[in-house]
Each structure stands twice: as C-alpha cells, then as structure tokens.
Amino acid sequence: MKICFINPAPRSYIVERGNETTGAYPPLGILYIIGYLKREGYDSVLIDQHATKIPTTQVLEKVKKIDPDIIGFNTLTNINMGLRATFIAKIIKKWNPNVKIVFGNCHATFNHDRILKKYPFVDICVRGEGEITFYELVSALEKNRDLKSILGITYRENGKICINLDRPLIKDLDELPFPDRDVIRDIEYRQNFGGFNADYGKFTTIQSSRGCTFNCTFCCQGKLSKCTWRTRSISHVIDELELLNSEGYTNLYWVDGNFTNNPNRAVKLFREIQKNNLDFIWVCDQRVDLVNNLLLYEMRKSGCRTISFGIESANQRILNYFNKGFTPQIAIDAIRKARKIGIDFILGTFLIGAPTETLEEIKKTLLLAQKVEIDFPQFHIFGTFPGTEIWDNLVRERKIDPDKYWENGVKVLVPPLEIVEEEMRKAYIDFIKRPKYLFNQTLRTLKSIHRWRIVLSNLKTFTNFKKFKKFYEFSTKTWTHGIKL
C-alpha cells in the first residue's frame, strides 16, 4: 500500500514568503506516524508544502507521480491549514476517486463530524494521537477489513457518518520509535523570520513529553491531553539526541506542550545532556511560574540560548480569564532571573483582545513589553477555536455561531480591530526605537558568541536594503488569529 502525507501551507505562506521557511518547522506529528508505520513494515512519502512553499500545482504533480492509495493531511485551524487541506484534497479526489483521504491533528480532532458532513471527498478523520490509529487504519484498508473496531476515527460508511470511541492516550511514550527524519533529509528547515535566520546550523524539532497539567482557557492542550503530562524516559531522549548528533543536527526546538512541567525532571535531563557531551544550541517555550535559578542555570549549561516566555497580559483580570495561575510580577521576576543567568535571547509573547478586554487594558499590556527585560515581544490578537474552553463558553452563551466560525476560528475583541492593529504596530516601533534598548542590544551582542554567529549568518539581510525592509515589516507585523466577528 502506497502512503503519502501532505503538510499543507496557507496560500499567504506561498505567495508572500516565497522560499523562506518562515514559521514552518519539521512536522513532528507526521514524522512520528511515519516512523511507526516504517517499524510495522510500511513506507511513506511526505510532501511538506508548508516548508518548501511549492504551489499546489506542484503538490498535485508529486501526488500523481506517487499515485498513493491513502493520503494523510496535517490540519490546524489557527493558520487555515485545514481549509488548505480541503482545497488540495478536493482536487486530488477528483483526479482519483479511489484514493482514501484522511485528516488528522487538532482541526480534525475537534471538527471531525463537521468536516465529513461538509466535505464528501474527505473519507476519515483521525482524532487525537495518530501513531497507532493510523497504522491500524492502513492495515484495515489494505486487507479490506471493517473500520468499526479502530478507536479514534470518524468515517463515512454507506453515506452515514460513524464516530468510533476515543483512543486512550499512549501511556508509554518510549514504545514509540523516533520520528523518521529520513523523509525530510532534502528539506533545509530554518528558524527564519521574515528573512532573518534565528539559527546557524542544521535544525530540527524534538519532544521529550506530551500534554500539560495546566488548563489555559485559550489552549487546546487540556482537551487533547486530558490535562495529563506523560514523559519519555530521560535515557530514551538522550538516545534520540545521540542519533541527531550523529546526523549533524546542531540546533533544536523543544516542542513539548509544557517542557518543564516538572522542573526537577527537566534539571535531570539537562544534566544528562551535559554528561553525554551533547553540544546543541536549543530553544524552548517556558511558563513564567515554573522558573527557578537552578532550572535556568542547567538550561544555559546544556545549550539553551533562547527562551520564549508566555507573559500574555499585564492585567490580572485577563490572566485570570485565561486561567494562567500567575501574576504579572511573577512574569517580570522570571525574565529578570533568565537575564541574570545569561540566557542570550529572551522573547515575550502577549495575547491581546480577549472578550471584554478594554482598549486601555490592551495598551497596558503593550506597554508592559517595554518594562520587562525581553529582547523582543510577540503580540498576538486573540482568536478562539474549537477545542478550547473559551470557544465552548462563548458557544454556550450564544455569543458566537459555531457553524459559521469552526473552520477559521474567530476574533472576539471589543475595541475595533483596526484601532488595535494600529496600537500594536506603534508598540512594536516604540519598543525598537528606544535608545536604551538599542544600547543594551548592542552590548549583549558584543558579549554573546551566539548572537555574533546569528549576526554573521544574516549579513546579507543586514546589508541589503530590500531584505532588511522586509525583515522590519515582518517584525512589526500584526499577528491575528481567526476571522473578524
């Protein structure tokens, strides 16, 4: 049985960003499934449109050349990957009505019945973790067996939509094979932002755990993981790092749902990385309320050079609405500790435009970015999607129509969108042009080998007016999620 996976990209990624791999990381979920299938005797092919930015016509050419029996699509709601998947799937199904079209990931997990109801060319949705489910599905289709016994799928049979029971979460993550990165060996993934390279070596993503015990109301991790946190053994993670080291990888991004959910376990992992002389440069996302000096110290010693802190808001009312469980002061203290330990680059993410949030509260959050000791802010206009608690609450309160917004998500901010976007753009510019900020950035770069290597890898961007202008425009871009209410 010939198996193909497609990681689609929204049209804007292809048209506006050309060949840059901006925002496109190795699709780890698909690579895990491909690795599992390989262990069970099935080979697969991956077409990563998101990374390569090839037009859909070329995607179709590749599909026709492969002539697969089954195609699995990666689907996400917040960047319209789900809509792009349906666009491509429709064309493929018209070309070959016999090919089985399967959707997976968050969009398919939380919209499985709507997808099958609206799109007759989609045959099956895989809900939740896909490794075992997709293998059982491939095996059943190959042997022409009934799909009733396969947990975690929604499918169509004789015109009727059938929803099988959920598949339990995988308890022992060590039983899974490593992600199969052989299928992406010809793709150069980079942490590239608007033409600016944030790394300078061979880059990939890695995951040491799944899930999160916290339940932020804007995030779908709680529902996906049932608010549980499952870890791989440290020895299993080290084995994968040894493999990546032997394959020439130098830069990593830990994509765990909550990397340091247990700080003590994280410290043990970081010490094992040092003990085994695994010399990686790596990035992670970090909750501000799980930070302590020992954790940050061991992070730095084991290769952490960039941390992205989820600060979210300057307003306690909004933090409470998001169920973050911390105060703005805790965020300020965490960043100060990271700066003191010597983390080379500190990002801060902010989420503005929550339901009932006023313009004054938004301005307060934008101003907070200048008060904390971060190197750069990332402002996002909040949008809500199926799979999150906020979505469920707004649907229950009849404030949004789920039938209208399930494919895109929806922004629910109170002030006019145009005003908020203008305030965000102004906040970016005000942040960058501060003399003290520019002085500190210069001083930190002179003291940091890591920063110097990034500067050297971006000389073409810094010395080319058009490229620098593009990077500047990208850096001050307004990031929004969902369509306007």
Side-chain angles (χ1 to χ4, degrees), residues 267 270-271 274 294-302:
V267 167
F270 303 149
R271 287 175 173 170
Q274 299 167 55
L294 177 61
L295 177 75
L296 292 168
Y297 174 75
E298 297 296 347
M299 274 182 158
R300 181 70 174 76
K301 284 189 68 178
S302 63

Side-chain angles (χ1 to χ4, degrees), residues 429-440:
I429 294 169
D430 289 346
F431 183 92
I432 294 170
K433 72 179 185 181
R434 293 172 295 148
K436 183 179 178 180
Y437 169 77
L438 294 172
F439 174 79
N440 285 335

Side-chain angles (χ1 to χ4, degrees), residues 328-353:
Q329 187 59 49
I330 289 176
I332 294 169
D333 293 342
I335 294 164
R336 186 176 295 123
K337 290 175 183 177
R339 182 63 68 200
K340 186 175 181 180
I341 289 294
I343 300 299
D344 296 68
F345 204 81
I346 301 173
L347 297 172
T349 60
F350 300 85
L351 201 54
I352 64 176

Side-chain angles (χ1 to χ4, degrees), residues 140-201:
L141 291 173
E142 183 182 44
K143 298 170 183 176
N144 200 28
R145 292 202 310 260
D146 198 290
L147 305 182
K148 291 181 181 178
S149 63
I150 301 176
L151 300 177
I153 66 169
T154 302
Y155 62 103
R156 190 181 293 101
E157 187 175 55
N158 299 323
K160 179 184 176 183
I161 295 176
C162 304
I163 305 175
N164 290 359
L165 294 174
D166 289 343
R167 180 175 296 279
L169 297 171
I170 299 170
K171 291 183 179 180
D172 186 359
L173 298 180
D174 285 5
E175 290 184 354
L176 297 175
F178 297 149
D180 185 0
R181 296 180 178 87
D182 287 343
V183 297
I184 57 171
R185 60 180 175 272
D186 295 329
I187 302 174
E188 183 183 8
Y189 291 90
R190 300 292 297 269
Q191 294 187 88
N192 185 293
F193 303 94
F196 178 87
N197 291 322
D199 59 49
Y200 41 81

Side-chain angles (χ1 to χ4, degrees), residues 87 214 217 289:
F87 175 77
F214 295 86
T217 56
D289 55 346

Side-chain angles (χ1 to χ4, degrees), residues 238 241-242 244-246 249 269-281 301-303:
I238 294 297
L241 290 172
E242 294 277 14
L244 293 177
N245 186 53
S246 70
Y249 287 97
L269 172 60
F270 303 149
R271 287 175 173 170
E272 283 298 310
I273 291 173
Q274 299 167 55
K275 180 180 176 181
N276 287 273
N277 298 313
L278 293 166
D279 188 17
F280 292 100
I281 298 299
K301 284 189 68 178
S302 63

Side-chain angles (χ1 to χ4, degrees), residues 142-406:
E142 183 182 44
K143 298 170 183 176
N144 200 28
R145 292 202 310 260
D146 198 290
L147 305 182
K148 291 181 181 178
S149 63
I150 301 176
L151 300 177
I153 66 169
T154 302
Y155 62 103
R156 190 181 293 101
E157 187 175 55
N158 299 323
K160 179 184 176 183
I161 295 176
C162 304
I163 305 175
N164 290 359
L165 294 174
D166 289 343
R167 180 175 296 279
L169 297 171
I170 299 170
K171 291 183 179 180
D172 186 359
L173 298 180
D174 285 5
E175 290 184 354
L176 297 175
F178 297 149
D180 185 0
R181 296 180 178 87
D182 287 343
V183 297
I184 57 171
R185 60 180 175 272
D186 295 329
I187 302 174
E188 183 183 8
Y189 291 90
R190 300 292 297 269
Q191 294 187 88
N192 185 293
F193 303 94
F196 178 87
N197 291 322
D199 59 49
Y200 41 81
K202 190 175 180 181
F203 168 77
T204 192
T205 50
I206 187 171
Q207 185 181 62
S208 77
S209 64
R210 291 184 180 182
C212 179
T213 57
F214 295 86
N215 191 25
C216 302
T217 56
F218 58 78
C219 180
C220 66
Q221 271 291 332
K223 281 194 174 182
L224 282 173
S225 66
K226 299 177 175 59
C227 286
T228 63
W229 187 61
R230 295 157 294 141
T231 64
R232 298 166 59 192
S233 66
I234 290 177
S235 62
H236 195 254
V237 178
I238 294 297
D239 287 344
E240 184 178 358
L241 290 172
E242 294 277 14
L243 175 63
L244 293 177
N245 186 53
S246 70
E247 293 176 343
Y249 287 97
T250 57
N251 291 63
L252 307 175
Y253 175 24
W254 297 93
V255 293
D256 300 43
N258 190 351
F259 186 36
T260 62
N261 198 88
N262 181 333
N264 292 331
R265 182 251 184 190
V267 167
K268 290 178 182 177
L269 172 60
F270 303 149
R271 287 175 173 170
E272 283 298 310
I273 291 173
Q274 299 167 55
K275 180 180 176 181
N276 287 273
N277 298 313
L278 293 166
D279 188 17
F280 292 100
I281 298 299
W282 55 266
V283 182
C284 71
D285 301 320
Q286 178 64 44
R287 280 188 64 99
V288 298
D289 55 346
L290 294 178
V291 165
N292 61 59
N293 288 329
L294 177 61
L295 177 75
L296 292 168
Y297 174 75
E298 297 296 347
M299 274 182 158
R300 181 70 174 76
K301 284 189 68 178
S302 63
C304 178
R305 295 295 177 268
T306 302
I307 295 179
S308 179
F309 283 107
I311 303 169
E312 316 306 2
S313 179
N315 306 283
Q316 191 62 52
R317 185 179 76 86
I318 303 302
L319 289 174
N320 293 344
Y321 180 77
F322 288 151
N323 195 33
K324 292 303 299 183
F326 59 76
T327 65
Q329 187 59 49
I330 289 176
I332 294 169
D333 293 342
I335 294 164
R336 186 176 295 123
K337 290 175 183 177
R339 182 63 68 200
K340 186 175 181 180
I341 289 294
I343 300 299
D344 296 68
F345 204 81
I346 301 173
L347 297 172
T349 60
F350 300 85
L351 201 54
I352 64 176
T356 77
E357 186 172 17
T358 66
L359 184 59
E360 289 307 310
E361 286 175 316
I362 289 172
K363 289 181 178 180
K364 185 178 178 181
T365 293
L366 296 175
L367 189 60
L368 177 63
Q370 296 185 31
K371 296 180 178 179
V372 294
E373 297 180 65
I374 59 175
D375 294 296
F376 202 75
Q378 293 178 313
F379 300 126
H380 297 262
I381 295 181
F382 172 74
T384 186
F385 309 93
T388 66
E389 185 178 328
I390 290 177
W391 171 274
D392 291 342
N393 290 340
L394 293 176
V395 169
R396 185 168 51 251
E397 295 165 3
R398 297 185 178 181
K399 293 181 178 179
I400 58 173
D401 181 356
D403 293 329
K404 186 176 181 181
Y405 298 114
W406 66 270

